[in-house]
Amino acid sequence: MTLLYCVIVVALTIVVVIERRALRIKAKRRWWFTILLWVVALVMLVVPFWQHTSQEYLISGLFVAAVLILLTLWRQGLADFAVINGMLATRAYSGLTGYLLVPEKDTVAVTFYGGSVRVTTLHLLATADQITALLSTQAPQIKRLTKAPENQ
């Protein structure tokens, strides 16, 4: 079981590194969620040492802590090939039809649509011009919208 845990952590590390390198425009972090995961990871590191029960308990605690820390390193944003919203929520540009930009104080909220269905909203750390330039280069089939499409 220990070997399986090591393989999973190594594979997840590789995926996180590839994802971080692929991002061109990053989204604003949700710090409350990141801090919550760090606290849970810390608990999973401390409790097995404190309990002194078994080696398997210690290894599983270390595994859970490593996975939680890797999850906090995952970033949302735009890559050359997709909208990266979460580990299981990466959307290829080919599945999207439009996007709506709404400038905010320190970010730009970008809502992506597949037809009239809202797929995701990201708060990107870039200007509207930078976002439009990336999307027009990497995904010219996605059209910039002036208002949200209505459900039919």
Side-chain angles (χ1 to χ4, degrees), residues 31-73:
W31 282 107
W32 61 270
F33 186 68
T34 302
I35 292 169
L36 175 67
L37 287 180
W38 286 342
V39 168
V40 173
L42 181 64
V43 168
M44 292 308 296
L45 283 173
V46 170
V47 169
F49 286 108
W50 178 55
Q51 299 246 329
H52 299 292
T53 54
S54 68
Q55 185 177 5
E56 291 83 18
Y57 186 61
L58 174 65
I59 291 169
S60 64
L62 292 174
F63 169 74
V64 170
V67 169
L68 289 173
I69 290 169
L70 286 170
L71 288 176
T72 64
L73 296 176

Side-chain angles (χ1 to χ4, degrees), residues 93-114:
Y93 291 133
S94 60
L96 303 172
T97 58
Y99 65 96
L100 179 65
L101 297 174
V102 178
E104 296 176 343
K105 188 171 75 170
D106 57 345
T107 63
V108 175
V110 183
T111 304
F112 290 94
Y113 294 91

